Amino acid sequence: QQQRSIDRSMVMTWTIAARSWWRWRGVAAGHGTFWRGMASATKELKLCVVGSGPAGVYCAQQVEKKVEKATAGAGDPNKVVVKTDVIDRRPAPGGLARYGVAPDHAPSVSAVLDTVDAFLHRRQTTRFFGNVQVKTKDVGDVSLDDLRRRYDAVVLANGADRPNELGIQNERELTGRGVFSARQVVAAYCGDPMERLDYSSRVGAFPGPAAEGARDVVVVGAGNVALDVARMLLTPPDALERDTEASRSFLDLVQSPNGPLSKVERVHLVARRGPRSAAFAPRELREILQKRSDQIEAVVTAPERPTSGEGGARFADPFADVPGFKPASRAQKRVFKLLRDHHGGGSEVAKGGRRQLIFHFLHRPVGFEVGEGGELLGLRAAPMAERDDGNGGVVPVPLPGGPGEILVPCQIAIVAASQATIALDGLPSGSESLEGRGGSAVALEREPGKAPVYMCGWANRGARGIIGASMVDADEVSGALVAEYLGGGCERRPSSGEDLAEALRERGVDYVDADGWR
């Protein structure tokens, strides 16, 4: 009998312990009455990130790490738990890591996408709301002001999806029927659900070579996006289908007998800057100049240097090592050497079945030439020269005494000028650029009952740099956010009590969660 009493006592003890453990487990999962009873002992930083690309996700990760490091060992009263909601207008996460990297380079970012996916699947602290648009021009599902009232801090990492125009003659008249943005083309070969390159149906109404398939394509720009577009257009279609995951719609454009991009023989890359200032990544340029030489013949050109200028101005030979004229960075030095080594090669017609990539450096786009039927005939460009800027660098200026404008023939033109972030309702005018914010990542200061708003990645610094550059920026922005929060700048805002998920459901928004996008 004594033994049975001991056994019953042990059973009761283990039962109580088990119940306590399950209640404690509820703390970790964020559920149960025990969690609600203990919530007052733990502070929450409710963070909203708009944009699910590498910059936004990495910024959220760094906020968590910095908060945890700053409050570690401080005891429950000072412990801070970061709860993050990530919003994206696309149904699938990843931003331009998923919808901006050329398909032949997609394997290089697979690890980045795995990191994004793993972060969004941490159900205890992170939620994903895909297919949700923050309002722009009063169109969207949720306003920035609404987010500021629901969260303790808001980070805008929504990239730079708005193409800039060149502002040259006939550009707007030809937009969509001969002239396209690089963003449209990138979205086409990546299968971006937010964009569609509907070239064939638009150009069919205009007679001329373009309707039968372009043989010459102009790409305006001297950065990695311009190089990606050129490479994708010049890669044999069978190689694209065999070796990449290019979208079916893009493959149709380059493969089908009547496809407008199926007969491309030459891509002319036109850049106002000279080879010293080209913004290509050395690795990307080396691939197309050396590793793809069996498929693509590269021809690198620039106007000859003028002998003298007004007031004794010094001009640089575009491809020579001249004392006082140096590339701005180590990467540009490698790019300059690659371009210099390929200067002067090539022929009017590529040999051995290869296609041509012709670099026209130091040519400023002036206007598009239009035929009698409204079709695009070519790009008019004015030759430039590189002049000493007085600080050891160079600046492009009109070529003195030059031959005048040239016509670069093309039936399709793709503008790869810099892109800008989409201005959301509630942001002050000009705040979408770093210069407009006076160099600060803060777009909106904290106000009573409203969270501060930070810009991150391309939304902060513009559409330049690779993924690594955006991650460096995310680290800096997360540091500023955490410093303000721990200093009392991100005080908990009065909440309406309605969760974002509940609010979206009430508004009839069919959002996609971390499991639903797959």
Side-chain angles (χ1 to χ4, degrees):
Q1 185 176 2
Q2 184 179 9
Q3 182 63 41
R4 283 196 297 270
S5 298
I6 293 173
D7 290 343
R8 282 196 296 269
S9 177
M10 290 181 66
V11 169
M12 291 179 64
T13 301
W14 281 106
T15 301
I16 293 171
R19 287 175 177 171
S20 297
W21 183 84
W22 277 102
R23 286 173 179 169
W24 178 252
R25 188 174 181 272
V27 174
H31 302 295
T33 57
F34 190 74
W35 168 255
R36 288 191 288 270
M38 289 293 291
S40 60
T42 303
K43 296 180 181 178
E44 267 188 18
L45 193 171
K46 294 186 67 176
L47 174 65
C48 178
V49 177
V50 180
S52 62
V57 168
Y58 188 73
C59 183
Q61 286 179 318
Q62 290 303 303
V63 168
E64 287 190 9
K65 290 179 180 180
K66 288 177 170 65
V67 166
E68 183 179 359
K69 183 178 180 180
T71 61
D76 280 344
N78 295 316
K79 183 176 176 60
V80 177
V81 174
V82 180
K83 297 290 186 71
T84 304
D85 284 349
V86 179
I87 298 173
D88 201 300
R89 67 192 183 103
R90 295 177 174 88
L96 290 185
R98 186 179 304 279
Y99 295 119
V101 177
D104 56 344
H105 287 178
S108 65
V109 297
S110 60
V112 174
L113 292 174
D114 289 344
T115 299
V116 169
D117 195 30
F119 179 79
L120 296 178
H121 273 85
R122 302 182 319 158
R123 294 175 178 81
Q124 299 164 3
T125 57
T126 309
R127 298 186 300 178
F128 174 63
F129 295 90
N131 203 36
V132 175
Q133 173 71 57
V134 180
K135 288 187 177 182
T136 301
K137 297 181 180 179
D138 206 30
V139 175
D141 306 305
V142 61
S143 69
L144 179 60
D145 194 63
D146 193 9
L147 297 178
R148 294 183 70 194
R149 295 182 185 278
R150 293 177 185 277
Y151 295 91
D152 300 314
V154 177
V155 175
L156 301 182
N158 53 327
D161 276 353
R162 179 169 60 85
N164 288 328
E165 294 180 344
L166 295 173
I168 62 177
Q169 186 180 9
N170 295 325
E171 180 179 12
R172 290 195 173 182
E173 290 82 353
L174 288 167
T175 295
R177 54 182 185 87
V179 176
F180 300 91
S181 71
R183 181 72 201 106
Q184 288 175 290
V185 180
V186 171
Y189 57 60
C190 288
D192 188 342
M194 303 303 295
E195 298 279 357
R196 185 163 178 258
L197 183 64
D198 192 12
Y199 176 83
S200 300
S201 64
R202 294 183 183 181
V203 81
F206 296 88
E212 302 170 0
R215 298 190 183 277
D216 288 88
V217 175
V218 158
V219 178
V220 180
N224 290 330
V225 174
L227 209 58
D228 282 349
V229 169
R231 189 182 65 252
M232 288 293 292
L233 294 179
L234 293 171
T235 300
D238 58 337
L240 287 177
E241 185 171 31
R242 182 184 65 247
D243 302 329
T244 76
E245 294 186 3
S247 72
R248 184 68 257 170
S249 60
F250 183 76
L251 289 174
D252 289 341
L253 291 174
V254 299
Q255 273 185 331
S256 62
N258 296 322
L261 298 174
S262 63
K263 297 180 175 66
V264 174
E265 297 175 355
R266 290 168 296 276
V267 172
H268 303 265
L269 199 151
V270 179
R272 185 178 65 91
R273 293 176 288 184
R276 285 182 181 80
S277 305
F280 308 127
R283 181 178 177 181
E284 304 265 344
L285 183 63
R286 187 180 297 109
E287 176 186 359
I288 204 166
L289 293 181
Q290 298 177 352
K291 296 182 179 180
R292 299 284 188 97
S293 59
D294 60 327
Q295 299 173 346
I296 302 169
E297 179 185 82
V299 181
V300 182
T301 69
E304 292 186 5
R305 178 189 63 172
T307 55
S308 62
E310 295 182 6
R314 295 179 60 222
F315 292 98
D317 186 318
F319 296 102
D321 287 321
V322 180
F325 294 98
K326 299 179 180 179
S329 66
R330 183 179 299 178
Q332 283 182 324
K333 289 179 182 178
R334 296 200 295 269
V335 167
F336 176 63
K337 184 177 185 304
L338 284 166
L339 293 170
R340 183 188 61 193
D341 292 346
H342 283 77
H343 170 235
S347 56
E348 290 186 5
V349 179
K351 300 177 181 179
R354 295 185 297 172
R355 299 176 176 186
Q356 280 188 320
L357 172 59
I358 306 173
F359 293 84
H360 300 268
F361 285 108
L362 291 170
H363 281 88
R364 178 177 60 86
V366 175
F368 291 109
E369 194 75 15
V370 182
E372 293 181 1
E375 73 277 14
L376 175 62
L377 298 179
L379 172 72
R380 288 185 286 108
M384 308 284 284
E386 287 183 319
R387 190 181 68 186
D388 182 4
D389 67 358
N391 296 311
V394 293
V395 59
V397 296
L399 183 68
E405 296 177 1
I406 66 168
L407 181 66
V408 183
C410 66
Q411 295 81 50
I412 295 177
I414 299 167
V415 178
S418 180
Q419 298 168 189
T421 189
I422 297 174
L424 303 178
D425 293 351
L427 285 176
S429 177
S431 63
E432 58 268 21
S433 71
L434 188 64
E435 294 75 15
R437 299 189 305 275
S440 171
V442 180
L444 285 169
E445 299 284 352
R446 59 187 173 91
E447 302 174 43
K450 292 185 180 181
V453 177
Y454 297 84
M455 309 288 276
C456 184
W458 277 15
N460 183 30
R461 298 187 176 274
R464 55 179 177 268
I466 57 177
I467 290 175
S470 290
M471 294 173 77
V472 171
D473 185 61
D475 185 59
E476 295 175 359
V477 173
S478 64
L481 188 156
V482 171
E484 184 178 14
Y485 175 79
L486 296 179
C490 295
E491 302 161 0
R492 182 65 179 272
R493 303 304 184 275
S495 174
S496 63
E498 186 182 40
D499 182 72
L500 178 62
E502 296 173 0
L504 292 175
R505 282 193 292 267
E506 288 182 2
R507 298 172 191 178
V509 180
D510 187 19
Y511 68 85
V512 180
D513 62 17
D515 291 324
W517 73 267
R518 288 183 173 276

